[in-house]
Amino acid sequence: MAREIKKSNPNLISLIYNLRKQSYEEGVAIWKDVAIKLEKPTRNHAEVSIEHINKHTEEGESVVVPGKVLSDGKLDHKVTVAALGFSKNAEAKIVNAGSEAISIAELAERNPKGSNVKIML
């Protein structure tokens, strides 16, 4: 039996549905885990700073944040950051560091198997 999604944002509902579908089709759990985290109340979504991403990643890695990326700190290596949202300053800092700031849906499309992707909370 499918879980009832109690969200009102149609884009978020669509993202959760597509992540669950992709997880089932590809046989990988990472997208299902991200969908479960996004189903939680908005006040429980992750808020991750750039400093946290910088500290826990290495050059060339991909990171998914089921929430918002905040601009505290600096990024000194290239990573791909996918998130539900970015503060304006955070997105600018990521791009200025030569990294990518993309949506979760775009990362799931680029990397359907979810290989070498970290979930940051």
Side-chain angles (χ1 to χ4, degrees):
M1 183 186 320
R3 223 185 236 192
E4 182 184 349
I5 300 173
K6 298 178 182 177
K7 298 285 184 181
S8 59
N9 181 345
N11 295 329
L12 184 57
I13 292 170
S14 175
L15 176 62
I16 292 168
Y17 174 78
N18 290 335
L19 288 174
R20 284 186 172 277
K21 182 179 175 188
Q22 186 166 1
S23 174
Y24 177 74
E25 289 173 352
E26 298 293 335
V28 294
I30 188 166
W31 302 124
K32 183 178 177 185
D33 291 343
V34 172
I36 289 170
K37 302 235 184 286
L38 291 174
E39 284 177 345
K40 293 183 179 184
T42 305
R43 68 180 175 272
N44 293 344
H45 283 185
E47 291 182 345
V48 178
S49 68
I50 290 179
E51 184 68 30
H52 186 75
I53 293 170
N54 190 51
K55 184 176 179 182
H56 296 286
T57 60
E58 294 177 8
E59 182 84 24
E61 288 186 327
S62 297
V63 175
V64 62
V65 178
K68 192 167 189 173
V69 177
L70 304 176
S71 66
D72 187 35
K74 66 176 186 172
L75 192 59
D76 59 11
H77 54 274
K78 293 182 182 181
V79 292
T80 301
V81 182
L84 191 58
F86 297 90
S87 71
K88 289 181 183 180
N89 290 338
E91 190 168 9
K93 283 184 179 183
I94 291 169
V95 172
N96 288 340
S99 299
E100 276 188 295
I102 60 175
S103 68
I104 295 173
E106 190 174 342
L107 181 64
E109 186 179 308
R110 284 187 194 177
N111 190 351
K113 292 286 187 187
S115 57
N116 297 325
V117 176
K118 289 183 177 181
I119 299 176
M120 289 275 176
L121 300 173

